[in-house]
Amino acid sequence: MEARAQSLYTQTPLRHRDMRFEFIEKYVLKTLKLKQDRWQKCISTDDNKQVIQEFLDKSDQITLVVSLNAAGHLLPTVGFPATVKNKAVYFVKRSKTALSPDSMKSHLVYGDLSYVPLDQFSVVVPLLSNGRNHSEWPQVVSQDIQRHVHSLKTNVFVVSGQVKGKTLLPLPPGAERVEQAALERDKRGDVVDKSIIHAIESVVIEWSHQIRGVLKKDSSEPLLEGKSPTPHTELNFWRIFFRYVYADLECIHSQFKSSKVTKMAELLDAMESSYYPAFKDMLQDVLAALEEAKDICTYLRPLQRLFEDLENVEFPEVKGQIGPLMHVVCLVWSNSRYYNTPARLIVLLQETCNLLIQQARVYLSPEEVLKGDVSESLLKVQTSLDILNTFRLTYEEKRASLGQYQRKGREVRPWDFHPLMVFSGIDRFIDRVKTVEDVLLTAVDLLKLEKVEFGGIRGRALSQQVLWLHQEFLDTYKVLTEKPYDCLDVNNTKFEADVCEFRCKVEDTDRRLGAVFCQAFDDASGLEHAFKVLDMFGSLLERPLVAADALDRYPLLISLFDRELDCCKLLFNEHTHTQEELGYTPVNRNMPAVAGGMRWAQQLQERIQIPFSMFRYITYP
């Protein structure tokens, strides 16, 4: 089809061709330096041809842009594209009208578009700054135009450098006179034109702002913005800084060493300008930044592998990774010349805290920590607390033993900043995890009520009361666990309010449970029964409100045991008296006298020792 269309087009007589198409064709092929077959392929497509035809025939179509696509084919569009990857040609109507062959040149504005618009835009500057182009203008207007043109040139120059990832330092107006002025001063010692010095001083101020913009980049910006970056943010910052910003700083340094800038510095020094120290400081700052970036990237590189290992292992195994990590951090602190400042270390440690918090959250799973199995969740929570506290303790140990990292002839700076500057975030998270732990411990204790069952005269009634308490707690716990929010989010104040309400209800349950314990203890028929009540309540007696009620009952155990001792002594005396009167001791049926007597003594001993041994399991102040 394309070959046929091309053949038909070339065979069409000249008088039947659309000269408007031919005008556009010639300009496109000439500007883009293409062969005619490219154009024939373009218009052989109905859609492309229709776009050009509508631009020529319709008055409301005022723009046509012909560009090369990625495949190298010409592509006409009715507007300027957002991005141009290749050179393009544009045609714009001066007014909304249809075009005829005779009006093509007079009614069209046309030209080429560079794929680097800033470079193309800078071509306009010589046209505007050439004095011959505005020789008939008043001098004030001419000077104002030149001043604005130089400002435009400077801005384009700076922006074009930013697009390429470089900081380009614009030269002052009349920079071509700087070298000549310096040369004349060296030869004749003439006074330099003050306008040149003023221009140099003005550009030094502008350079200081540009360089400050490069040097002020800091890895702590995400933390200052309220984000929660991890150590990879710090390591990536310095890796990118070294890769790109380091090259930018080298570019700035090379510009400082150029002949024109060197002559500018010499003029400022010779004229004793107050801006010369600022110029020298800028150069020193750039050199210091280059050395700092190289030093920090060198010493942070070993931490990359350690943090990757910390992220890749299961969270319970993180505990073994903390010691080696902090050891390397101490080595970085003691050996690096630029990373041994509190500001740098605080950022790294804060981001390490953020990493541990993120891993703990993933391990605990905020959606399941209160809804899953209570015992399993409690184990995870306690494991997390152990790891987080281990990091805090390791920090304190390393802080106290920094002296062992001292190198010969060089003292190690102490970590004299307040720990809260590092651990304020992780401390809040630990407090929240402890709150969750307290809720789970309460659940573990009160869920045991389901298995509490009393004997004795009032046993059935007391057992029923405990079942009611158990059901009430289940309802209370269910209300808390079915909340839709993230219980591990430290900024979630609603969880704190709900936990406070939960604790109030649990305190009421504890008071009623303490009353039930007192009734069951008082109903005990003897020492053995009393110890069974204690064993049945178990860890519930460690709950503060229940323990307060049970405290008055412990002395009664001593009284019961004392009574039991008196009873055992009475039995022993009676047994001994019978032996003296009758000449033998009563023994169990079918047992020899000696063996039976020993067995009787053993049973009496067990009657004393069993309750006595149970006292050691009682927690009493």
Side-chain angles (χ1 to χ4, degrees):
M1 289 293 292
E2 293 181 1
R4 183 181 179 185
Q6 180 177 352
S7 176
L8 290 173
Y9 183 83
T10 55
Q11 295 174 7
T12 302
L14 185 61
R15 64 178 181 273
H16 296 302
R17 294 184 187 177
D18 192 335
M19 302 305 294
R20 299 175 299 174
F21 268 83
E22 189 171 343
F23 177 84
I24 294 175
E25 174 191 357
K26 287 182 178 179
Y27 188 77
V28 169
L29 296 180
K30 180 181 178 181
T31 304
L32 300 182
K33 298 179 181 179
L34 300 174
K35 294 183 179 180
Q36 190 177 13
D37 62 330
R38 297 284 189 95
W39 177 260
Q40 301 305 325
K41 289 181 181 180
C42 174
I43 62 173
S44 65
T45 305
D46 292 339
D47 293 340
N48 293 342
K49 188 172 182 179
Q50 183 179 356
V51 170
I52 300 174
Q53 193 72 51
E54 289 179 353
F55 169 74
L56 296 171
D57 296 339
K58 293 184 178 181
S59 59
D60 58 340
Q61 298 288 348
I62 63 173
T63 305
L64 174 68
V65 177
V66 182
S67 60
L68 286 170
N69 61 15
H73 301 309
L74 290 172
L75 180 66
T77 56
V78 295
F80 288 98
T83 58
V84 180
K85 295 184 178 180
N86 296 298
K87 194 174 182 179
V89 177
Y90 68 90
F91 301 88
V92 180
K93 295 178 182 178
R94 295 180 183 271
S95 60
K96 292 185 177 181
T97 181
L99 297 173
S100 64
D102 298 332
S103 64
M104 290 293 287
K105 289 187 177 181
S106 59
H107 286 73
L108 276 180
V109 176
Y110 48 90
D112 60 300
L113 287 173
S114 172
Y115 61 91
V116 187
L118 287 173
D119 292 348
Q120 184 180 20
F121 189 62
S122 61
V123 177
V124 181
V125 173
L127 298 176
L128 296 175
S129 60
N130 192 339
R132 289 180 294 178
N133 292 334
H134 41 84
S135 59
E136 299 179 357
W137 297 352
Q139 185 178 4
V140 175
V141 175
S142 177
Q143 291 176 350
D144 187 60
I145 289 293
Q146 288 183 346
R147 185 171 62 254
H148 282 83
V149 166
H150 182 268
S151 176
L152 175 64
K153 176 183 177 181
T154 298
N155 292 334
V156 171
F157 181 69
V158 172
V159 173
S160 64
Q162 291 174 345
V163 171
K164 299 174 184 177
K166 298 180 179 179
T167 301
L168 300 181
L169 304 177
L171 295 174
E176 62 280 355
R177 296 184 296 160
V178 171
E179 293 186 6
Q180 184 63 29
L183 184 61
E184 291 178 357
R185 178 172 178 79
D186 291 340
K187 289 182 177 180
R188 301 193 301 267
D190 294 342
V191 177
V192 180
D193 187 355
K194 290 185 178 180
S195 63
I196 297 178
I197 301 300
H198 175 72
I200 296 175
E201 291 175 343
S202 299
V203 84
V204 167
I205 296 174
E206 187 174 347
W207 289 356
S208 67
H209 293 305
Q210 288 182 268
I211 294 172
R212 189 181 300 115
V214 177
L215 298 181
K216 75 176 184 180
K217 294 178 181 179
D218 192 73
S219 61
S220 63
E221 290 179 3
L223 287 171
L224 298 176
E225 292 172 0
K227 300 178 182 178
S228 299
T230 62
H232 285 297
T233 304
E234 175 82 358
L235 300 178
N236 289 338
F237 172 85
W238 288 108
R239 186 168 61 249
I240 294 172
F241 188 93
F242 187 75
R243 183 179 300 174
Y244 299 107
V245 182
Y246 187 85
D248 191 16
L249 291 172
E250 285 187 324
C251 176
I252 294 173
H253 184 256
S254 66
Q255 294 175 76
F256 270 117
K257 292 300 182 182
S258 65
S259 60
K260 287 186 178 180
V261 177
T262 303
K263 295 296 183 182
M264 290 165 55
E266 292 175 357
L267 284 177
L268 290 177
D269 186 22
M271 298 301 295
E272 297 182 354
S273 171
S274 59
Y275 288 85
Y276 180 67
F279 182 88
K280 290 179 61 179
D281 290 342
M282 279 194 297
L283 181 59
Q284 294 300 323
D285 290 342
V286 171
L287 292 173
L290 286 169
E291 188 176 355
E292 178 185 20
K294 190 173 182 179
D295 174 87
I296 290 178
C297 288
T298 300
Y299 284 104
L300 287 187
R301 195 171 294 118
L303 287 172
Q304 181 77 35
R305 178 67 179 274
L306 292 172
F307 281 117
E308 288 177 356
D309 292 344
L310 195 69
E311 280 192 356
N312 294 331
V313 300
E314 295 294 330
F315 188 63
E317 300 175 14
V318 167
K319 186 175 181 179
Q321 305 283 337
I322 292 176
L325 174 65
M326 291 301 296
H327 175 68
V328 176
V329 169
C330 292
L331 290 174
V332 173
W333 173 268
S334 60
N335 289 278
S336 175
R337 293 176 55 195
Y338 293 95
Y339 210 78
N340 61 345
T341 61
R344 300 283 188 211
L345 185 64
I346 287 172
V347 169
L348 181 64
L349 293 179
Q350 280 186 346
E351 292 174 343
T352 306
C353 291
N354 291 336
L355 175 61
L356 293 175
I357 290 173
Q358 289 182 15
Q359 289 182 287
R361 286 177 55 83
V362 173
Y363 176 66
L364 293 175
S365 181
E367 301 82 8
E368 301 295 332
V369 66
L370 292 177
K371 297 179 182 178
D373 182 74
V374 177
S375 300
E376 182 179 346
S377 297
L378 180 60
L379 179 61
K380 287 186 175 182
V381 167
Q382 291 174 340
T383 300
S384 301
L385 286 174
D386 181 42
I387 292 172
L388 297 176
N389 288 322
T390 297
F391 177 66
R392 182 72 184 265
L393 291 174
T394 304
Y395 163 82
E396 296 294 345
E397 291 174 0
K398 295 299 181 182
R399 182 184 185 184
S401 60
L402 279 176
Q404 68 182 9
Y405 297 95
Q406 182 174 346
R407 298 172 59 191
K408 293 182 179 180
R410 182 178 175 183
E411 293 186 359
V412 180
R413 295 177 59 184
W415 292 352
D416 51 4
F417 49 88
H418 200 283
L420 283 179
M421 300 179 70
V422 174
F423 297 103
S424 59
I426 201 171
D427 284 347
R428 292 179 63 197
F429 183 74
I430 289 175
D431 290 341
R432 176 55 60 89
V433 176
K434 285 182 177 179
T435 301
V436 174
E437 181 191 29
D438 181 62
V439 171
L440 293 174
L441 286 172
T442 301
V444 168
D445 284 342
L446 296 186
L447 288 177
K448 296 177 182 177
L449 294 178
E450 184 180 14
K451 300 179 180 179
V452 174
E453 191 170 343
F454 299 100
I457 300 174
R458 304 169 61 186
R460 186 173 182 181
L462 294 175
S463 299
Q464 187 61 45
Q465 290 185 43
V466 170
L467 287 177
W468 288 339
L469 292 175
H470 177 257
Q471 187 59 46
E472 287 180 10
F473 174 74
L474 287 179
D475 296 338
T476 303
Y477 186 66
K478 184 178 180 181
V479 170
L480 179 65
T481 57
E482 290 185 349
K483 296 290 183 179
Y485 47 65
D486 181 358
C487 64
L488 295 178
D489 182 6
V490 295
N491 297 318
N492 180 13
T493 56
K494 193 169 182 355
F495 176 73
E496 295 290 345
D498 291 337
V499 169
C500 184
E501 182 180 355
F502 171 80
R503 286 171 175 169
C504 290
K505 294 181 179 180
V506 168
E507 286 178 1
D508 180 66
T509 301
D510 285 345
R511 291 189 183 94
R512 294 158 63 187
L513 188 61
V516 170
F517 169 78
C518 292
Q519 295 178 31
F521 191 90
D522 294 341
D523 192 47
S525 58
L527 185 61
E528 183 179 358
H529 190 184
F531 275 116
K532 285 184 179 179
V533 173
L534 290 173
D535 185 60
M536 194 181 306
F537 272 80
S539 60
L540 291 171
L541 293 175
E542 297 176 6
R543 303 189 60 78
L545 294 178
V546 179
D549 289 335
L551 192 62
D552 296 336
R553 296 299 185 272
Y554 288 124
L556 296 178
L557 290 173
I558 304 297
S559 300
L560 290 173
F561 184 66
D562 186 49
R563 191 183 308 166
E564 187 71 13
L565 286 176
D566 291 340
C567 182
C568 291
K569 183 179 180 181
L570 181 61
L571 289 174
F572 181 78
N573 291 336
E574 289 179 355
H575 189 78
T576 305
H577 182 69
T578 302
Q579 181 181 8
E580 292 176 353
E581 289 183 353
L582 301 178
Y584 65 89
T585 56
V587 296
N588 292 331
R589 182 177 298 178
N590 299 326
M591 290 197 70
V594 176
M598 293 176 65
R599 176 59 181 161
W600 181 88
Q602 185 181 22
Q603 289 176 342
L604 186 64
Q605 184 184 27
E606 290 176 354
R607 184 173 176 177
I608 297 172
Q609 284 184 340
I610 291 177
F612 180 75
S613 63
M614 297 182 70
F615 275 102
R616 71 183 63 180
Y617 302 111
I618 297 176
T619 302
Y620 187 76

